[in-house]
Amino acid sequence: MTSSHPSDAQAVSASSSARDAALHDVGATKPVLANPLTEKDETVRSPDLETREYRLQARDVCVFYGEKQALFDVSLDVPEKAVTSLIGPSGCGKTTFLRCINRMNDTIEGCRVTGKITLDGEDIYDPSLDVVELRSRVGMVFQKPNPFPKSIYENVAYGPRIHGLARSRTEMDEIVEASLKRAGLWSEVKDRLRESGTGLSGGQQQRLCIARAIAVSPEVILMDEPCSALDPIATAVIEELIDELRAHYTIIIVTHSMQQAARVSQKTAFFHLGKLIEEGPTEVIMQTPRHKKTQDYITGRIG
Amino acid sequence: MASPSSTSIKAQADRRRVRVRASLGRRHLVEWLFRGAGLTAIVIALGMVVGLFWIMISKGLPAFTQATLSAEVTFDPDIITAGPPPVRESGQSEADYRAARMAWEGQVARLNWNALVEQAVRNTAPAGMEVDRRTALALVSNIDRHNLRDMFVANPHLLGRTVKVDLLASANTDNWLKGTINRDLPDSRQQLSAATRQLADALYADGKIRFTFAWQIFTNTDSRSAPAAAGLAGAFVGSLYMMLIVIVLAVPIGAASAIYLEEFAPKNRFTDFIEVNINNLAAVPSIVFGLLGAAVFIRYFGLPMSAPIVGGLVLTLMTLPTIIIATRSALRAVPMSLRQAALGIGASHNQTVFHHVLPVTFPAILTASIIGVAQALGETAPLLLIGMNAFVAAIPATPFDKSTALPAQIFLWQGNENRNFFEARTSAAIMVLLALMITLNALAIFLRTRLERRV
Ligand SMILES: Nc1ncnc2c1ncn2[C@@H]1O[C@H](COP(=O)(O)OP(=O)(O)OP(=O)(O)O)[C@@H](O)[C@H]1O
Ligand SMILES: [Mg+2]
């Protein structure tokens, strides 16, 4: 990718006027406030979205896979009810950081996390914290669509069921319908809810995974390159969806596409070789990055 | 464009193509050789299987029909002198009536039923043919007198009446008529006397002796006194009990151990040690399991010899490693993404395993279990060491009763001295065992495809 100009991306999705509107909306509501730099560490911190609350905060997070260190002292504040995108060249630790937030790293053998990540002021690595509850609050959509090999209905209903969120059958039906509608999949699957979720197309599967994640009403949704396997149309549908979800959820998205980061996110964090190099409002990072590496990356010189 | 650089590029491309072509020939040759070798291996294997089945079926099929004599049997009051069965009188206690009935049955059993058989054969023989006692009794099986007695006990009104009864021909008669014994052998080397052979031929020509379906293979137990009536029922039930024991014990224990080891157990030296030993256990020769069974279950726990319960326990031990290993590899094959999907929406470890991992591995676990059970069913060596090759002439009522098993029965028949007759019987028994195995494997395939389609 050599261009970072958002209009390139708009061309892709020009077919949908709703999408255009959504994109303009992103630009219009983006609060850009001048703020003093926080020169706490090497990371370049830009004037920030200070009006927002930061319920999710990472402080000096280091991650080791065995002997190998994959993340170095990452500190990041994630604004609430907004989209934060993580960008950076392959292998820089974006997925690793994302997995720290819902403690998915626990499932990887030999993985060790130090530092502090707080959600609502609570340390999520506190031994007294129940990781199952944490994951019900922090949902995740994986890079590769991974629906359960069960019916479409069951895919969405599973989370609410195990967490006891629906008290009756009709309530469950409502949750399933609302989640599928919000994920933009309802009209396509409403007549085949009993069919297997694995029988859907790649893009539909990914939206099903999003519906599954939002069915448990998490507070934070982590998305790891949700569009990497999708065509431009499906990508546009999901981007539109992310934009709508922003009103209710705190979203962190990993993406390799500068255009996508520009289109959907309000805050962007740039990683390089396991370090957080620069973070700030998306258009500042995209248009006037301060750090040389950030500049090189978004103009396509490294990556 | 005819610039020098473009011609050199063209020359380079040509050289490249020549090289690729040269290596192409070699690559295709290797592929063809490999395919040819594979095909040859399959043809040889298939040929052997077909050969085996051909031998088995061509040898075993004749055993499913047996020579039967349809005779006129007269329940002669001169021979059957036991009188009418006791009738329960008013005021007689249940116990007294039972005792009287038992006494009567004992009396009936002691009657000379051979005389009845002899008379029936004589009456059926062609007119003018002299049939002495030995000739008549050698023609039919020893079982017939028991059958006639049972008929009478069940229906005492037969007394004095003449009815048509199918008498089972003896094994030697069957051999003679089927030609499984060389008809040109001299008298001294024949199993039947010249008179009996002549009688058999005459009755066969008359249509009095026919070949009928040999139900006794499925309904009777093994028999030494009446080889023609020897059947598989006892061994079949014995095998069935063992199969049930293996299914009830090995499948849940095996699957549970595998799930625990793979999903829940901490990965440390101790579990590594267990894993190595389970793999070793799978490689232990089956006869060793028989020794273990004899030492532990019979000597130490005092379970009965020759009983399906011991056989079932031994086969359970033998099947466990197979099921554990297959289940573990099935669990290991579940993609990480499925586990992450479940964990990612807050399913606990337990829920992830039981709601998502197990359902997708279930078909594989089932297949492994059925194949393990089928293997156990065909196992013979350990059974020999716990006495299941004993001659047992009763169908076991419980797993604690003495019994044989199908493969042990095959082993016993194979060693029977009446080779001419039991060669076919052995093959027939093998056919029954194979049919059972094929049914089990077909069930495995059926269930697997069905369950896999569902998920
Ligand atoms: N399970 C693991 N075990 C060992 N090392 C790992 C593991 N997962 C990731 N790493 C290493 O950690 C570093 C960061 O990996 P990570 O997956 O976070 O990169 P990423 O930024 O998501 O890359 P990509 O854009 O290609 O997905 C890489 O050097 C990778 O090799
Ligand atoms: Mg990644």
Side-chain angles (χ1 to χ4, degrees):
Chain A
M1 252 161 253
T2 49
S3 164
S4 64
H5 204 273
S7 63
D8 276 11
Q10 258 169 318
V12 172
S13 56
S15 59
S16 162
S17 58
R19 200 139 45 230
D20 284 352
L23 280 164
H24 292 138
D25 182 47
V26 175
T29 56
K30 208 170 281 172
V32 188
L33 299 169
N35 244 319
L37 274 166
T38 22
E39 289 289 14
K40 196 178 138 244
D41 48 34
E42 287 173 54
T43 310
V44 180
R45 294 187 190 278
S46 298
D48 214 346
L49 311 140
E50 273 301 286
T51 51
R52 293 178 192 269
E53 275 180 76
Y54 296 110
R55 287 172 59 202
L56 183 62
Q57 295 178 307
R59 287 291 171 269
D60 304 321
V61 173
C62 299
V63 178
F64 303 82
Y65 291 112
E67 292 298 295
K68 188 171 163 276
Q69 186 163 3
L71 276 189
F72 300 84
D73 300 305
V74 172
S75 299
L76 185 68
D77 293 337
V78 179
E80 205 198 337
K81 294 203 173 35
V83 180
T84 303
S85 58
L86 311 180
I87 59 171
S90 185
C92 66
K94 306 179 295 290
T95 301
T96 301
F97 181 69
L98 207 61
R99 279 200 301 242
C100 289
I101 300 171
N102 68 347
R103 287 182 58 178
M104 220 48 179
N105 280 332
D106 290 12
T107 63
I108 295 171
E109 225 167 299
C111 181
R112 196 158 50 85
V113 180
T114 64
K116 193 168 181 175
I117 298 177
T118 55
L119 182 61
D120 279 341
E122 222 182 324
D123 183 2
I124 65 165
Y125 279 87
D126 192 287
S128 67
L129 180 126
D130 191 336
V131 66
V132 169
E133 194 206 326
L134 171 72
R135 292 193 188 131
S136 76
R137 294 173 64 191
V138 183
M140 184 155 184
V141 176
F142 297 85
Q143 183 166 351
K144 211 174 123 238
N146 56 353
F148 297 131
K150 297 179 190 296
S151 72
I152 293 169
Y153 183 94
E154 193 51 36
N155 260 283
V156 183
Y158 181 72
R161 178 166 315 126
I162 57 171
H163 295 303
L165 299 183
R167 242 165 281 112
S168 68
R169 181 113 206 162
T170 49
E171 209 173 329
M172 183 63 88
D173 289 346
E174 278 161 22
I175 292 177
V176 171
E177 183 175 340
S179 307
L180 285 169
K181 272 186 177 151
R182 201 170 261 182
L185 193 59
W186 177 251
S187 58
E188 285 156 76
V189 301
K190 65 175 186 291
D191 301 320
R192 44 193 284 210
L193 290 175
R194 298 284 149 211
E195 284 171 39
S196 175
T198 49
L200 296 172
S201 78
Q204 289 173 326
Q205 285 189 16
Q206 194 61 294
R207 278 179 283 156
L208 180 62
C209 291
I210 294 173
R212 181 176 68 186
I214 58 184
V216 292
S217 311
E219 293 149 43
V220 181
I221 300 179
L222 312 173
M223 295 185 175
D224 193 354
E225 299 182 47
C227 304
S228 65
L230 305 185
D231 67 35
I233 306 283
T235 303
V237 172
I238 287 185
E239 283 177 7
E240 193 181 335
L241 164 67
I242 291 170
D243 208 57
E244 281 162 20
L245 292 176
R246 177 161 64 92
H248 307 275
Y249 306 97
T250 301
I251 297 172
I252 307 179
I253 176 171
V254 170
T255 175
H256 273 146
S257 153
M258 292 314 104
Q259 287 89 339
Q260 186 169 60
R263 282 193 300 260
V264 302
S265 70
Q266 287 75 55
K267 178 167 178 166
T268 296
F270 171 66
F271 285 71
H272 185 64
L273 295 177
K275 295 194 178 80
L276 176 59
I277 303 296
E278 184 167 354
E279 50 134 323
T282 299
E283 72 270 26
V284 173
I285 298 283
M286 292 296 160
Q287 281 152 24
T288 53
R290 292 148 172 246
H291 204 287
K292 176 81 169 57
K293 278 181 185 145
T294 320
Q295 212 166 4
D296 287 350
Y297 182 69
I298 59 172
T299 53
R301 273 195 284 272
I302 52 170
Chain B
M1 281 198 296
S3 70
S5 79
S6 82
T7 45
S8 93
I9 286 173
K10 191 174 179 309
Q12 226 172 351
D14 283 346
R15 268 202 305 282
R16 217 190 100 264
R17 282 176 62 190
V18 168
R19 274 196 207 165
V20 169
R21 271 201 202 130
S23 78
L24 225 52
R26 204 173 53 241
R27 279 188 275 173
H28 286 320
L29 184 69
V30 169
E31 184 176 332
W32 274 110
L33 281 179
F34 184 77
R35 281 191 185 196
L39 207 65
T40 317
I42 286 176
V43 167
I44 291 174
L46 261 183
M48 294 212 172
V49 169
V50 167
L52 178 82
F53 272 74
W54 175 250
I55 291 171
M56 222 38 79
I57 291 172
S58 62
K59 271 192 176 175
L61 265 189
F64 286 104
T65 61
Q66 256 182 284
T68 323
L69 172 69
S70 54
E72 305 277 335
V73 178
T74 307
F75 288 84
D76 191 344
D78 292 340
I79 301 172
I80 305 170
T81 54
V87 190
R88 184 165 181 186
E89 286 150 29
S90 56
Q92 192 183 26
S93 75
E94 173 75 28
D96 287 349
Y97 169 72
R98 282 251 191 96
R101 173 86 196 179
M102 286 290 282
W104 179 77
E105 279 181 18
Q107 225 177 335
V108 169
R110 282 190 295 277
L111 296 172
N112 186 6
W113 291 96
N114 271 342
L116 208 73
V117 174
E118 182 191 334
Q119 213 176 58
V121 173
R122 201 171 283 136
N123 291 345
T124 319
M129 198 179 226
E130 272 304 310
V131 179
D132 67 15
R133 186 183 163 80
R134 282 187 49 193
T135 307
L137 291 181
L139 182 81
V140 293
S141 166
N142 244 331
I143 196 87
D144 290 317
R145 57 192 165 123
H146 298 299
N147 289 344
L148 291 179
R149 183 196 63 201
D150 292 346
M151 263 177 85
F152 176 70
V153 169
N155 186 7
H157 301 293
L158 286 172
L159 190 66
R161 286 210 260 160
T162 301
V163 286
K164 228 181 161 73
V165 180
D166 278 347
L167 298 181
L168 189 62
S170 69
N172 291 334
T173 308
D174 192 69
N175 284 339
W176 174 256
L177 291 174
K178 273 183 189 154
T180 42
I181 189 163
N182 187 349
R183 287 177 154 246
D184 300 327
L185 286 176
D187 260 10
S188 59
R189 294 185 56 199
Q190 286 287 355
Q191 292 160 322
L192 290 175
S193 69
T196 316
R197 278 159 21 219
Q198 205 186 349
L199 177 64
D201 283 338
L203 286 168
Y204 186 62
D206 268 6
K208 292 274 166 54
I209 291 184
R210 290 161 299 125
F211 285 99
T212 57
F213 189 74
W215 286 110
Q216 57 271 16
I217 291 183
F218 302 101
T219 57
N220 289 8
T221 58
D222 197 8
S223 172
R224 290 230 166 122
S225 57
L232 285 171
F236 193 88
V237 174
S239 276
L240 219 61
Y241 279 139
M242 293 201 292
M243 207 172 93
L244 283 180
I245 291 166
V246 173
I247 290 173
V248 167
L249 292 181
V251 175
I253 294 177
S257 328
I259 292 165
Y260 176 75
L261 283 173
E262 195 58 40
E263 301 287 338
F264 296 99
K267 305 272 174 283
N268 55 29
R269 287 210 169 165
F270 181 64
T271 44
D272 282 350
F273 177 74
I274 289 179
E275 165 149 24
V276 168
N277 278 292
I278 287 172
N279 291 341
N280 285 340
L281 215 55
V284 169
S286 58
I287 197 147
V288 176
F289 283 99
L291 279 172
L292 178 97
V296 175
F297 297 124
I298 296 177
R299 288 280 287 286
Y300 188 76
F301 287 110
L303 288 170
M305 283 272 283
S306 314
I309 178 80
V310 179
L313 289 172
V314 168
L315 294 180
T316 298
L317 289 182
M318 242 191 61
T319 314
L320 269 178
T322 314
I323 294 180
I324 293 179
I325 291 171
T327 306
R328 287 190 74 173
S329 60
L331 289 173
R332 229 169 284 166
V334 173
M336 195 60 199
S337 64
L338 180 62
R339 294 168 200 272
Q340 286 181 338
L343 292 172
I345 52 167
S348 67
H349 186 58
N350 200 57
Q351 286 169 327
T352 304
V353 171
F354 284 93
H355 296 170
H356 300 286
V357 176
L358 275 188
V360 300
T361 45
F362 187 67
I365 297 176
L366 196 77
T367 317
S369 302
I370 294 179
I371 288 172
V373 169
Q375 257 175 21
L377 194 64
E379 197 55 65
T380 327
L383 302 185
L384 303 184
L385 292 179
I386 54 166
M388 293 204 68
N389 55 338
F391 170 78
V392 181
I395 295 179
T398 70
F400 291 88
D401 295 333
K402 295 211 178 310
S403 167
T404 56
L406 282 176
Q409 186 68 68
I410 290 168
F411 176 77
L412 282 173
W413 280 355
Q414 176 67 19
N416 191 291
E417 53 275 14
N418 193 345
R419 297 276 310 140
N420 302 3
F421 185 72
F422 275 99
E423 210 165 41
R425 264 290 204 275
T426 310
S427 297
I430 294 173
M431 281 166 70
V432 172
L433 183 61
L434 280 180
L436 205 61
M437 301 274 198
I438 291 171
T439 312
L440 278 179
N441 285 340
L443 182 75
I445 293 168
F446 170 75
L447 286 176
R448 192 176 50 201
T449 46
R450 238 192 96 117
L451 291 170
E452 273 174 358
R453 208 174 317 129
R454 215 182 54 191
V455 291

